[in-house]
Amino acid sequence: MPDTPPDTPPDTLGPTGVTADDIRARVGGLVAAHDPATTDPVEFLGHRFDAGLAWVHFPPGRGGLGAPRALQHVAEQELAAAGAPPPNNLRNPLGLGMAAPTIAVHGTDEQRTRLLRPLWTGAEVWCQLFSEPGAGSDLAGLATRAVRDGDAWIVTGQKVWTSFAHKARWAMLLARTDPDLPKHQGLTYFFVDMTLPGVEVRPLRQATGQAEFNEVFLTDVRVPDTMRVDEPGNGWAVSNTTLMNERVAIGAAEAPREAGAIGAVAALWRERPDLRTPGLHDRVVRAWVDAEVARLANERIRQQLAAGKPGPEGSAAKMSYARINQDTTRLWLELAAEEGLAYDDWEMRRIELGGTEGERAPGYYYLRAKGNSIEGGTTEILRGVIADRVLELPREPRNDTKLPWMEIPR
């Protein structure tokens, strides 16, 4: 039975009476003072943060205006009409998708002041130090230790599958601070400066030949207590905020019709009648319908997010995305026949932030899609979240939730 985190803490960000007209006036003032046509794009992002137009529902001075979250689309529309650079979460995907909402809800004022602006502009990239080689999908079973030492915590352990750790200045870290408590209760959350002594990052080569991920070794890393998030022992609840936002970011990203692999399949089907067979016709139609249903369902989740906070439905979106992308890339490979087996590049490379791989052969996407059911929460874990929190089914009995972590067999 997978772990089911507690309910997301209350969203502490509240509206302050800001209207859509206020947002439009703010955008007008921003572009008048900093012409998007002549201002460096990164510099413009900084001015946008200072104007409260990064996340309009964040507090004033923290990149927002305390406006209703639903007004974010007004800011985006007005900025696009004014020729501002389009939002591109690839400049700092984990920072924007996971760290920012965690900082906003659980961070101290000092942490928000120090961290949010460079996170928004992409000047400081973030990664996530959650997964461990010994804990598998059982996040609450992690073994990385943090021991209090005066005004700091000494952190020792190993993390794995850490995207962008080789680029990151900051990390979201979950560590065990009390091994005598049950595994969900003895955890504490930290923001860790990846330049601290004792942090070592090693690349992991994937089946695609690339190295998007890393192992991270933490050896007596001294993390200031000022970078602790929430109270000691409350790390599981804080991590829930991060994980819920992660699954929405992965599974419910905005996309036009026929975006991604289904677009390539549809284009190949239209352009290459010589590749068609009756059996493939049925599968192409089914894949197209699945992709469109998922796209429309994701749009509903985004609307739900605009009205409040991410819920467990994001787990369903992420799980559906993984299945559909794996099925579609397999279909793409079969449709392309022997041409799809050609693999253009096995060189070990790292994808740059904000960059893309460009056009690759179907075999690359087929291999890369295998990771979709692992990254951001395994499919097995997400099924448990849906069973518990969406369907409210009886929970599977388990015998390790009340035992001290030290006494759990490993």
Side-chain angles (χ1 to χ4, degrees), residues 46-89:
H47 294 309
R48 176 174 167 175
F49 181 94
D50 296 337
L53 296 168
W55 308 278
V56 300
H57 58 291
F58 277 29
R62 303 291 184 268
L65 298 169
R69 190 193 297 252
L71 291 182
Q72 184 69 44
H73 81 280
V74 176
E76 301 299 343
Q77 289 176 344
E78 294 292 314
L79 285 163
N88 178 10
N89 282 0

Side-chain angles (χ1 to χ4, degrees), residues 201-224:
V201 178
R202 300 177 187 173
L204 283 172
R205 189 184 184 101
Q206 303 161 226
T208 59
Q210 295 181 317
E212 294 176 66
F213 312 123
N214 305 274
E215 291 177 296
V216 178
F217 295 84
L218 306 158
T219 306
D220 297 332
V221 181
R222 190 174 181 85
V223 179

Side-chain angles (χ1 to χ4, degrees), residues 238-260:
V238 181
S239 68
N240 185 36
T241 299
T242 306
L243 294 173
M244 288 300 177
N245 282 282
E246 178 182 34
R247 287 155 193 171
V248 170
I250 292 175
E254 186 174 3
R257 177 175 290 176
E258 293 192 4

Side-chain angles (χ1 to χ4, degrees), residues 7-171:
D7 290 339
T8 303
D11 190 342
T12 58
L13 314 176
T16 55
V18 176
T19 67
D21 285 342
D22 296 330
I23 300 288
R24 295 187 182 97
R26 282 274 178 166
V27 172
L30 171 65
V31 299
H34 309 285
D35 185 350
T38 57
T39 304
D40 176 81
V42 175
E43 185 180 337
F44 185 86
L45 286 172
H47 294 309
R48 176 174 167 175
F49 181 94
D50 296 337
L53 296 168
W55 308 278
V56 300
H57 58 291
F58 277 29
R62 303 291 184 268
L65 298 169
R69 190 193 297 252
L71 291 182
Q72 184 69 44
H73 81 280
V74 176
E76 301 299 343
Q77 289 176 344
E78 294 292 314
L79 285 163
N88 178 10
N89 282 0
L90 293 178
R91 68 184 184 277
N92 192 3
L94 279 78
L96 292 163
M98 291 158 246
T102 305
I103 296 168
V105 174
H106 299 282
T108 64
D109 282 344
E110 291 75 16
Q111 289 168 349
R112 292 169 180 165
T113 300
R114 168 63 185 85
L115 300 172
L116 283 175
R117 192 177 191 279
L119 181 159
W120 164 256
T121 63
E124 293 182 345
V125 173
W126 283 71
C127 66
Q128 181 194 58
L129 297 177
F130 278 15
S131 297
E132 295 190 3
S137 296
D138 182 13
L139 177 60
L142 61 82
T144 291
R145 291 291 310 276
V147 178
R148 186 70 183 258
D149 182 26
D151 60 355
W153 296 77
I154 308 301
V155 179
T156 301
Q158 180 186 353
K159 300 290 181 175
V160 73
W161 312 124
T162 310
S163 301
F164 299 114
H166 59 298
K167 296 282 187 181
R169 169 62 191 273
W170 290 96

Side-chain angles (χ1 to χ4, degrees), residues 353-403:
L353 286 166
T356 66
E357 272 296 281
E359 293 296 325
R360 299 291 302 264
Y364 167 82
Y365 297 101
Y366 172 75
L367 291 175
R368 180 61 186 85
K370 298 300 181 186
N372 295 158
S373 53
I374 301 174
E375 56 197 350
T378 65
T379 295
E380 289 76 14
I381 288 289
L382 299 184
R383 282 182 177 141
V385 171
I386 293 166
D388 290 346
R389 304 186 59 194
V390 178
L391 302 177
E392 299 183 347
L393 296 175
R395 301 191 67 178
E396 181 180 347
R398 53 187 307 173
N399 58 9
D400 63 350
T401 56
K402 298 185 186 305
L403 284 177

